[in-house]
Every structure is written in structure tokens, then in C-alpha cells.
Amino acid sequence: GQQVMQIPQYQHVQEGEDFTTYCNSSTTLSNIQWYKQRPGGHPVFLIQLVKSGEVKKQKRLTFQFGEAKKNSSLHITATQTTDVGTYFCAGPRSGGSNYKLTFGKGTLLTVNP
Amino acid sequence: NAGVTQTPKFRVLKTGQSMTLLCAQDMNHEYMYWYRQDPGMGLRLIHYSVGEGTTAKGEVPDGYNVSRLKKQNFLLGLESAAPSQTSVYFCASSFGLAADTQYFGPGTRLTVL
């Protein structure tokens, strides 16, 4: 079945360092979504990418969707302690039922102040 | 608007007991989902509903039942709880298509002894 892989599983950085998490799908995705979950919280939608090669920015966060629409990345510039949490990518499941998302297992980011 | 709410927030069960988790949304969303989240496993879809009166199985449906009698409510039932069902359960809803954002509730932390 469709798989969405995320690497790394964990990342610990010093405050001010950059951070990148990568998402790879076994199938082509119509779109990809990114969510953030703070410790003890629930996933919260960050952004959606739809077009091949699309790049979107939210302040210090940069999201990219690969040309083949099978991979994506989230880059955080100059991390802050408020960036702590788990970042998930998710893509619609292939094969008809387009309303279900397959989530990656997430990347847990910790930031040392 | 309250968004997506879940009750209860915490629950401890003994093996073999039953319980129902309630999810409610006030955004008039058609689609609703139940996920479980376990360490290192990401979010796994249990059951989902594409509208009032409809339900369907996700990737890990065994041991759970659901009902969607009203559009705004989605119930998750455990008929005979097992320790393997110890998890954090999240409900989510979306307006329609998979391209739509999923809005998550705050979660229910369930422990089965």
C-alpha cells in the first residue's frame, strides 16, 4: 500500500540552528499537507502544496513540493524554542478514496535554548 | 466556534470493559475521522465517515466500532477493551475532499489495564 516516509525521526538542534525534515511517498501525490503537533497537543494544519515544484514560505518556515510530486521538505531557518514539536507530512491515499490521508510518522524536533 | 471537541480527555479502563468516545464538530463538516497515535507509529486511521449515516473502515479497525447518527457527532466504541488499545485517540473533521485541511480535536488519552 501507499507509504509516506519521513526522515529524520528525531532532530535535536541548538536554538538558532536550521532544521529540515524530508517526506517521501511511494506514489505520486495530488497534494501534500504539513501539520505540527506540540508536545501534549494535537496536530494543527500548517500548509498545503499542490503544484509540482511549489515552494511556499511562512515566516521562517519554507515548504517545498518535489517536481515529481513524490517528495516534500520543510525547512526552518534559525530555530526557536517555539518550534519544538512533531512535524507530520500527509498525502491523500491513492486508489480512489481521495478523502483519506496517509500520515508520515513525523519528525520530532527539540530545541536547546 | 469550538471546532472539534472530544470527550472524555482521559480514561482508564480494565481489560474487557467497554466505553464510547465522543467527537463533536460545529463546522458543518461532512467528513470525520478517528485516528490513534502511538509512539513511533504516527497517526493511524481507525474508521471514518463521509457523511451522516455512513461509516467505513480505516487501516486499523479491529476492536472498534463507530456510528455517525448526526452530522456533527462521530462516536468511537470499544466493546471489550484490550491493553493493545492503550493509546491517544484523535478525532478530526474536514469539509469535503482530501485536499481539505483536517481539523483535529484535543485527543483522548486511554489506558487499558
Side-chain angles (χ1 to χ4, degrees):
Chain A
Q2 180 186 35
Q3 290 186 334
V4 176
M5 310 295 290
Q6 267 187 270
I7 55 170
Q9 191 174 1
Y10 308 97
Q11 184 78 58
H12 178 75
V13 299
Q14 289 291 125
E15 189 171 23
E17 291 181 338
D18 291 356
F19 158 77
T20 304
T21 174
Y22 300 91
C23 180
N24 293 288
S25 171
S26 57
T27 59
T28 301
L29 300 171
S30 59
N31 70 80
I32 194 155
Q33 300 177 26
W34 286 90
Y35 292 77
K36 177 184 178 180
Q37 183 178 22
R38 295 182 185 275
H42 59 276
V44 175
F45 174 79
L46 292 177
I47 208 161
Q48 179 187 104
L49 305 171
V50 179
K51 300 177 182 177
S52 169
E54 188 170 14
V55 177
K56 287 188 176 181
K57 292 190 176 183
Q58 289 180 348
K59 298 182 180 178
R60 294 177 295 103
L61 278 61
T62 301
F63 303 84
Q64 291 188 320
F65 200 11
E67 293 290 341
K69 301 183 76 173
K70 295 181 73 173
N71 56 75
S72 181
S73 65
L74 158 59
H75 179 80
I76 302 178
T77 303
T79 55
Q80 300 175 358
T81 54
T82 54
D83 296 325
V84 166
T86 301
Y87 293 85
F88 294 96
C89 63
R93 298 199 177 197
S94 57
S97 50
N98 204 33
Y99 34 77
K100 294 184 291 184
L101 291 176
T102 299
F103 283 83
K105 293 185 178 180
T107 296
L108 173 60
L109 172 65
T110 56
V111 180
N112 197 30
Chain B
N1 289 347
V4 180
T5 58
Q6 291 183 234
T7 52
K9 288 185 169 53
F10 304 94
R11 186 73 185 268
V12 178
L13 291 178
K14 294 181 179 179
T15 297
Q17 288 185 318
S18 63
M19 77 163 295
T20 300
L21 282 67
L22 171 64
C23 175
Q25 53 92 6
D26 61 2
M27 296 175 282
N28 201 33
H29 284 171
E30 287 294 334
Y31 295 178
M32 297 187 74
Y33 312 82
W34 275 108
Y35 294 91
R36 61 177 289 173
Q37 185 176 41
D38 304 292
M41 299 296 293
L43 290 158
R44 292 184 292 171
L45 183 64
I46 305 171
H47 285 281
Y48 63 98
S49 168
V50 301
E52 182 179 313
T54 74
T55 63
K57 294 180 180 180
E59 58 180 303
V60 288
D62 293 343
Y64 305 95
N65 56 76
V66 288
S67 63
R68 183 103 180 264
L69 299 179
K70 293 183 179 181
K71 185 177 183 179
Q72 63 268 35
N73 296 336
F74 195 28
L75 278 63
L76 178 70
L78 285 73
E79 291 186 347
S80 180
S84 60
Q85 294 177 305
T86 293
S87 188
V88 180
Y89 292 86
F90 288 103
C91 175
S93 69
S94 67
F95 183 71
L97 301 175
D100 289 338
T101 300
Q102 290 196 7
Y103 295 85
F104 284 81
T108 295
R109 187 173 295 275
L110 175 66
T111 301
V112 182
L113 303 176

